[in-house]
Amino acid sequence: MKRHHQQVKEEGKSSKMWQEEQQQDAGMDELLAVLGYKVRSSDMADVAQKLEQLEMVMGTAQEDGISHLSYDAVHYNPSDLSSWVHNMLSELNPPSSSSSNFHPSTAISTDSSSISTLNFPGSSQIYNDQSDYDISAIPGVAVYRQPETSGSEMENNHHSPNKRIKTVSEPGPNPVVTMTSTESSRPVVLVDSQETGVRLVHALMACAEAVQQENLKLADALVKHVALLAASQAGAIRKVATYFAEALDLRISRVYPRDSLEFSSYSDVLQMHFYETCPYLKFAHFTANQAILESFATSDRVHVIDFSMKQGMQWPALMQALALRPGGPPAFRLTGIGPPQPDNTDALQQVGWKLAQLAETIGVDFEFRGFVANSLADLEANMLDIRPSEVEAVAVNSVFELHRLLSRTGAIDKVLNSIKAMKPKIVTVVEQEANHNCPVFSDRFNEALHYYSSLFDSLEGCPNNEDQVMSEVYLGRQICNVVACEGPERVERHETLNQWRARMGAAGFEPVHLGSNAFKQASMLLALFAGGEGYRVEENDGCLMLGWHTRPLIATSAWQLAAADSL
């Protein structure tokens, strides 16, 4: 990975390389790609249909005793799921029957009306919205209740010698599946991890669609099915599916979680574990600090206003860099903004004392002020003791905070106007690279499902199990807010870099190009973090993005007042 970053530096084509990889993988479903399976989004419905057919064929094969399915045969799951299913069907060459005409897409109506009709071959069963949904209402052979078998048929089946059960001998995305002989009262086919992964994705999306259509009875049945499918998975896909299922369940039950002071304090603890687990926050702090440091190059007195003070983890590195500045460090003033604490303690002041001790050690003239606010929209520029620009250079820093303002009408505009009144030399903004603020729930759900699948996958290599678990809880709370909440309570309204560019430009800011030094040093930072394996840095029109494989996940941008507004 380090050699890869060196090549990117030398050629200056990191963005192009990222785009080329995205083109190569164009059309591939990102969530299944995390599992290691290559399935084009356009082929999803066809693959699902063939998997249904294959399962029925396998059941028939057990009854008919097809010779080439030997007791000791071992099959490995390939990455090309579509071709594998097609080949398996071709090899088995099942007799044509009406059952092969079943298509999952016919089970769920896609119009805006209630999902009420299920079409199965040879029969038509109507589920009235006034009745209770159960598992039989969920599309798919694995959950569709099979016709009852007569007593004589059951007795014949009991004595049939050709019964096999698939068993998974090891976990992971490509498990070994073995056919073993057993006696049973009925043929049993346990679908492997690969097939279940496809069903899991479809069930999650179908549940979100049912929620979108206000068909909560079907949604409730689907979310229970998702829990069953997730239990058979391993690794990141199981965890992320479980969090999404829990969030869907809360939304279906009309239980909307609310942030409280206790939860806010707990979030700070979780974020510290997230900081230690993966490089996302380190990257955010480093790139923002680099932009601030360069803007302060000629200033003797500097003032940083931090919208996301938390535990103050960002500032020791900047203070040390200022201490090493040729000609001596400037006088450094820090204003940290944070929410009130549940026990009414002055947590910000405690952070300030620790930073003051560091400043004294490294010889930096330091001044700190903590400012408690329920929302950034409650702030006014005149509250922060802003000094004239010729006396003190001001920087405003926001890491994962501005998107929370989008839940309140006019809040983001008020804060951006307050920033303009501070006349900062630079404004640094770090935000999630995702669109979780679209008005259509199913679109927002699908975007979040792919985004958090990549994030959870990137956590899998964490050497510290406690940090990993706490980081997953940290991300799980975000998932819960995106999926289960609405109105002002839905604060995780992430938007893309292009959306922030449009908003900042309309508010009177112009972009500041993050220099090549920031890109090079960010790449070196990743090389030191678990070898940088899987992580990618991309320069995007003067901004920096950090992603996992081909998926950008966070973006850092820097801004200054437009010429007309700086006067």
Side-chain angles (χ1 to χ4, degrees), residues 38 47 50 78 80-90:
K38 296 181 180 178
V47 170
K50 289 179 178 178
D80 190 345
L81 183 58
S82 180
S83 299
W84 177 76
V85 175
H86 178 77
N87 291 339
M88 287 291 291
L89 284 171
S90 300

Side-chain angles (χ1 to χ4, degrees), residues 144-164:
Y144 175 57
R145 185 174 296 141
Q146 301 296 325
E148 293 185 2
T149 307
S150 65
S152 60
E153 290 175 339
M154 289 181 64
E155 184 176 354
N156 291 335
N157 288 339
H158 178 73
H159 294 291
S160 175
N162 297 317
K163 302 293 186 293
R164 298 175 180 86

Side-chain angles (χ1 to χ4, degrees), residues 93-154:
N93 192 22
S96 60
S97 66
S98 62
S99 62
S100 64
N101 295 325
F102 173 72
H103 195 290
S105 62
T106 64
I108 298 184
S109 172
T110 56
D111 59 23
S112 59
S113 61
S114 298
I115 303 173
S116 57
T117 305
L118 297 176
N119 299 321
F120 290 94
S123 65
S124 178
Q125 186 172 2
I126 306 299
Y127 286 85
N128 191 305
D129 279 348
Q130 301 304 317
S131 64
D132 291 332
Y133 282 96
D134 60 9
I135 293 301
S136 63
I138 304 171
V141 175
V143 293
Y144 175 57
R145 185 174 296 141
Q146 301 296 325
E148 293 185 2
T149 307
S150 65
S152 60
E153 290 175 339
M154 289 181 64

